[in-house]
Amino acid sequence: MDILNEKELTALVSLLDDQDPEVKDHVRGKIISLGNDIIPFLEKKWEDSFDPVIQKEIEDLVHELQFSLLKERLRSWKKDSDQELLQGLWIINTFQYPELEFETLNASMHQIYFDVWTSFDNHLSPYEQVRTINSVLFHELKFAANTKNFHSPSNSMLSIVLDSKRGNPISLCSVYLLVAKKLGLPIYGVNLPNLFVLTFKTAETTFYINAFNKGLIFTRHDILNYLEHLKYEPKEEYFEPCENIEIIRRTLRNLKLSFEKIGEPEKAHEVQELLDILYED
């Protein structure tokens, strides 16, 4: 922003509707090179403009800048040894809500954890601990499966899931996981075909939890029956904990499918770009 003064920036923006494609491309490239610091200026110019062509060009530029930042954050997250789940979900959330601050999402998630913690007892058995979480999340706080709008992109946006208390299997499991982690419980995600679930896993105790069905507890045998019904060969990955990167990949696959289902191929293509980042060497 300090390279050009406001008058020069205004003149640059005014050229976005130039009829010469080379001029327009040069102007776009120059604005993009200024980075995300120019976004507030562009948003102000959008508000002040009465030219729909320039408004559309500004919208596209702002989106390109924000999407570039999102990809940069996702690459950094992938390289981070911790790969914190909440951080990854926040990055995905900024695809639809680029103004969302991580601290805002973290505060919302912390309130849900606090609601569970006030009812929690570390001395309970594993099954009773899980039933306590189930009681708070699904009965007191009213989290539930979003069966009416299963393919809505909002199901992959954690901020919307926390506000609406509705989600798909992986978003509800993510809320559950984030709470369980803060409680210090050995609960992890499990990647099943067509369904994402959780496992409570220690050397002494292993069972599974279906957050999409109000925390229903089930067994390894139930998974075998489920796989047989779907005609899938059992694989060890269908029973064992998965890494956070797998949760973020699956969340993005769901988001891509959502955009395909509602007829937004451009957004689906952008989500595929994000997925490609997570599969880079």
Side-chain angles (χ1 to χ4, degrees), residues 4-21:
L4 300 176
N5 61 39
E6 186 170 337
K7 186 177 179 180
E8 290 170 325
L9 287 169
T10 298
L12 203 59
V13 170
S14 70
L15 292 172
L16 285 171
D17 65 347
D18 196 283
Q19 297 303 307
D20 187 333

Side-chain angles (χ1 to χ4, degrees), residues 11-33 42 51-61 64:
L12 203 59
V13 170
S14 70
L15 292 172
L16 285 171
D17 65 347
D18 196 283
Q19 297 303 307
D20 187 333
E22 287 189 15
V23 172
K24 184 182 287 189
D25 287 346
H26 175 76
V27 169
R28 285 181 57 86
K30 181 63 177 177
I31 292 173
I32 291 293
S33 73
L42 291 174
D51 184 338
V53 175
I54 285 189
Q55 284 186 323
K56 179 65 167 63
E57 290 289 342
I58 290 174
E59 288 169 12
D60 291 345
L61 278 168
E64 189 172 339

Side-chain angles (χ1 to χ4, degrees), residues 80-212:
D80 192 320
S81 58
D82 291 334
Q83 293 185 340
E84 288 287 343
L85 179 58
L86 184 58
Q87 189 83 17
L89 293 170
W90 166 69
I91 293 169
I92 293 174
N93 213 142
T94 62
F95 181 75
Q96 289 281 78
Y97 302 95
E99 306 299 327
L100 178 69
E101 297 288 342
F102 175 78
E103 290 74 17
T104 302
L105 194 62
N106 189 38
S108 298
M109 199 61 240
H110 184 78
Q111 182 59 53
I112 293 168
Y113 156 73
F114 183 78
D115 291 338
V116 175
W117 177 78
T118 54
S119 299
F120 197 75
D121 184 348
N122 285 312
H123 298 100
L124 293 173
S125 71
Y127 290 96
E128 289 304 318
Q129 287 177 336
V130 166
R131 289 188 182 103
T132 298
I133 298 174
N134 290 347
S135 177
V136 177
L137 288 183
F138 304 116
H139 298 289
E140 292 179 26
L141 297 180
K142 308 295 185 186
F143 278 93
N146 191 353
T147 52
K148 288 184 179 178
N149 296 294
F150 186 79
H151 292 295
S152 170
S154 66
N155 290 321
S156 299
M157 301 289 115
L158 185 60
S159 64
I160 303 302
V161 173
L162 297 184
D163 286 342
S164 67
K165 308 293 176 68
R166 295 293 179 272
N168 58 17
I170 197 163
S171 62
L172 292 175
C173 279
S174 294
V175 173
Y176 207 113
L177 267 177
L178 290 165
V179 170
K181 181 181 178 184
K182 286 183 75 71
L183 290 170
L185 297 178
I187 292 178
Y188 313 94
V190 178
N191 246 327
L192 281 176
N194 302 339
L195 182 65
F196 195 86
V197 297
L198 303 168
T199 182
F200 187 108
K201 187 176 181 63
T202 65
E204 301 78 25
T205 306
T206 298
F207 59 88
Y208 299 87
I209 307 157
N210 185 352
F212 198 62

Side-chain angles (χ1 to χ4, degrees), residues 29-93:
K30 181 63 177 177
I31 292 173
I32 291 293
S33 73
L34 298 173
N36 282 66
D37 287 344
I38 200 176
I39 288 178
F41 176 84
L42 291 174
E43 290 174 334
K44 181 67 168 60
K45 285 300 169 186
W46 185 95
E47 292 172 0
D48 294 342
S49 176
F50 293 98
D51 184 338
V53 175
I54 285 189
Q55 284 186 323
K56 179 65 167 63
E57 290 289 342
I58 290 174
E59 288 169 12
D60 291 345
L61 278 168
V62 169
H63 176 70
E64 189 172 339
L65 285 163
Q66 290 170 333
F67 189 55
S68 178
L69 176 61
L70 192 165
K71 291 189 286 187
E72 184 182 313
R73 284 171 172 164
L74 192 62
R75 285 193 176 94
S76 296
W77 181 87
K78 181 177 180 286
K79 292 175 183 175
D80 192 320
S81 58
D82 291 334
Q83 293 185 340
E84 288 287 343
L85 179 58
L86 184 58
Q87 189 83 17
L89 293 170
W90 166 69
I91 293 169
I92 293 174
N93 213 142

